[in-house]
């Protein structure tokens, strides 16, 4: 009997020591991977045991016993969430379990500003390490996602909505493109579509004009006015004479040098609105919602001209004489004075 009690006492002491050892372990930060960071991907439906195996194999938690102790002590075994997790420092098992229970998954935030072309978006996609730019362009050249909205579309130019997207490391170009088209569909609401139809404009015409407005001004208060100017030009049969359309035409031909010259205004392209009246064949960039709204609800103005004030804003005019005076003031005289200042005169 005494021997049995001795054995039981020994077992209790061993178990207590093991428990104390594990208790210390679950409170110790650990980092068993090389490199600056380690990713552990937990698939949907993974059980607690499988999750533990991945964390141990990834060097995030020291061993399976420590993991089981941490899960038992936190009571979070049923609340661990699937996802891609990034670890970049030594963490205690408690911290690891808490991170996964909170669903603190790793995401890449990619911001596409308003007014970008598909090519520019492709470069951003690549710069975030999501894949080559060519894969994004390949996906963006497939018009299928907007076929119901724009049967004439040859690609998705103008329909990739500019905003910030939270992506995983495994988000491919095709998935992102679908997300961007879905965001466009949400932004171009049924109310906006009805307002465009009331003006006898197709979706393609609306998005094309909105892309021009987007490229011409970044000032919210000017967008409806600029839209009104271009609508007035279309109404009276006046060429749009929009510099961004010429730049877009040159970029498509890989002929843009970064500076728009007077000779470029004669470049032969249906996108050149100096040579060809009416709207260009399609959007020249991706407009934001404000530009879409400006086109379907333009300002009621009688302006047909505008010129840059060189500070991001524009001066508007009703007549050619008034416009010429504005050009003289904000372009000719402005740059003449600037040169004189630079020369120290």
């Amino acid at each position: 009997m005494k021997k049995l009690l001795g054995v039981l006492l020994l077992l209790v002491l061993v178990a207590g020591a093991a428990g104390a050892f594990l208790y210390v372990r679950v409170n110790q930060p650990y980092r068993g991977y090389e490199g600056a960071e380690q990713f552990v991907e937990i698939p949907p439906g993974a059980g607690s045991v499988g999750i533990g195996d991945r964390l141990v194999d990834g060097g995030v938690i020291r061993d399976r016993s420590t993991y089981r102790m941490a899960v038992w002590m936190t009571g979070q075994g049923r609340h661990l969430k699937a996802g891609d997790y990034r670890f970049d420092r030594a963490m205690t098992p408690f911290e690891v379990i808490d991170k996964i229970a909170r669903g603190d998954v790793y995401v890449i935030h990619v911001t596409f500003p308003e007014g970008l072309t598909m090519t520019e978006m492709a470069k951003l996609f690549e710069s975030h390490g999501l894949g080559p730019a060519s894969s994004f362009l390949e996906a963006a050249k497939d018009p299928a996602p907007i076929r119901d909205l724009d049967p004439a579309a040859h690609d998705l130019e103008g329909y990739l909505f500019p905003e910030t997207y939270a992506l995983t490391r495994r988000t491919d170009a095709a998935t992102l493109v679908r997300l961007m088209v879905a965001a466009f569909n949400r932004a171009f609401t049924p109310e906006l579509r009805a307002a465009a139809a009331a003006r006898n404009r197709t979706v393609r015409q609306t998005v094309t004009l909105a892309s021009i407005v987007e490229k011409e001004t970044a000032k919210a208060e000017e967008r409806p006015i600029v839209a009104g100017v271009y609508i007035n030009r279309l109404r009276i049969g006046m060429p749009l004479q929009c510099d961004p359309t010429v730049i877009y035409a040159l970029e498509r031909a890989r002929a843009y040098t970064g500076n728009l010259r007077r000779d470029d205004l004669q470049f032969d392209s249906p996108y050149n609105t100096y040579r060809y009246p009416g709207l260009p064949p399609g959007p020249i960039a991706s407009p934001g919602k404000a530009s879409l709204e400006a086109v379907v609800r333009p300002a009621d103005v009688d302006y047909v001209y505008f010129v840059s004030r060189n500070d991001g804003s524009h001066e508007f005019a009703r007549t050619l004489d008034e416009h010429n005076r504005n050009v003289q003031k904000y372009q000719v005289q402005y740059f003449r004075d600037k040169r004189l200042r630079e020369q120290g005169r």
Side-chain angles (χ1 to χ4, degrees):
M1 186 66 177
K2 289 182 179 181
K3 181 181 288 190
L4 178 59
L5 290 174
V7 170
L8 290 175
L9 179 60
L10 179 60
L11 291 174
V12 170
L13 291 174
V14 169
F21 178 74
L22 287 176
Y23 182 80
V24 171
R25 279 282 181 88
V26 296
N27 286 281
Q28 283 182 337
Y30 176 73
R31 176 175 177 163
Y33 52 87
E34 297 181 357
E37 59 186 5
Q38 175 72 301
F39 288 93
V40 175
E41 186 171 2
I42 298 175
S48 178
V49 174
I51 293 173
D53 290 343
R54 288 173 177 266
L55 293 171
V56 172
D57 292 343
V60 176
I61 291 181
R62 190 183 301 273
D63 53 52
R64 287 159 180 79
S65 296
T66 305
Y67 166 78
R68 288 193 292 270
M69 173 66 80
V71 170
W72 178 75
M73 292 181 69
T74 60
Q76 295 282 21
R78 296 178 178 273
H79 304 291
L80 303 181
K81 298 177 176 62
D84 195 21
Y85 294 87
R86 174 178 178 265
F87 301 91
D88 61 355
R89 62 182 177 85
M91 298 176 70
T92 69
F94 287 148
E95 291 174 321
V96 173
I97 298 302
D98 178 65
K99 181 181 181 75
I100 299 173
R102 287 186 288 110
D104 184 16
V105 298
Y106 178 73
V107 295
I108 301 171
H109 291 95
V110 183
T111 299
F112 295 96
E114 292 86 349
L116 295 188
T117 63
M118 294 190 316
T119 300
E120 292 166 332
M121 288 178 167
K123 292 177 181 177
L124 261 178
F125 174 82
E126 182 175 272
S127 72
H128 283 79
L130 293 166
S134 59
S135 67
F136 185 93
L137 282 176
E138 182 180 356
K141 287 178 180 177
D142 180 7
I146 51 140
R147 185 67 72 198
D148 57 333
L149 277 179
D150 182 2
H154 298 293
D155 53 40
L156 298 177
E157 191 79 273
Y159 296 99
L160 302 174
F161 195 69
E163 67 176 24
T164 297
Y165 295 86
L167 311 174
T168 71
R169 290 183 303 139
R170 306 198 184 281
T171 301
D172 60 17
T175 300
L176 175 56
V177 163
R178 287 195 296 271
L179 289 173
M180 298 177 81
V181 172
F184 170 83
N185 282 320
R186 290 193 299 272
F188 194 46
T189 62
E191 290 76 18
L192 291 180
R193 298 178 201 188
R199 291 180 170 274
N200 295 316
R201 281 199 197 89
T202 65
V203 171
R204 186 169 188 79
Q205 290 170 333
T206 301
V207 177
T208 298
L209 186 52
S211 72
I212 290 175
V213 171
E214 190 67 66
K215 296 296 288 186
E216 284 287 18
T217 182
K219 288 193 168 293
E221 66 273 16
E222 282 193 353
R223 289 191 182 103
I225 303 174
V226 171
V229 169
Y230 281 123
I231 288 171
N232 287 340
R233 290 183 185 182
L234 290 170
R235 178 175 51 80
I236 64 178
M238 176 181 173
L240 295 185
Q241 297 180 328
C242 170
D243 289 355
T245 65
V246 183
I247 293 172
Y248 183 76
L250 292 168
E251 288 177 337
R252 282 169 59 92
R254 298 184 179 179
Y256 185 54
T257 63
N259 292 309
L260 189 64
R261 303 165 300 180
R262 184 175 296 274
D263 291 346
D264 291 331
L265 302 184
Q266 298 306 312
F267 184 74
D268 191 10
S269 166
Y271 283 92
N272 184 347
T273 55
Y274 280 85
R275 291 196 60 170
Y276 294 90
L279 289 168
I284 62 170
S286 285
K289 186 169 184 178
S291 291
L292 291 167
E293 291 176 339
V295 166
V296 300
R297 302 186 182 106
D300 185 13
V301 295
D302 54 2
Y303 301 129
V304 287
Y305 300 99
F306 62 97
V307 65
S308 172
R309 295 193 186 109
N310 304 299
D311 62 358
S313 66
H314 296 83
E315 189 74 19
F316 297 88
R318 297 172 178 81
T319 67
L320 183 58
D321 285 344
E322 185 181 356
H323 176 63
N324 287 337
R325 289 194 297 271
N326 292 336
V327 170
Q328 180 68 28
K329 176 180 179 181
Y330 291 105
Q331 296 297 307
V332 178
Q333 189 63 45
Y334 174 86
F335 287 105
R336 181 184 300 156
D337 292 344
K338 182 179 179 181
R339 284 194 299 272
L340 291 175
R341 287 193 300 272
E342 289 173 349
Q343 295 168 2
R345 299 182 184 178

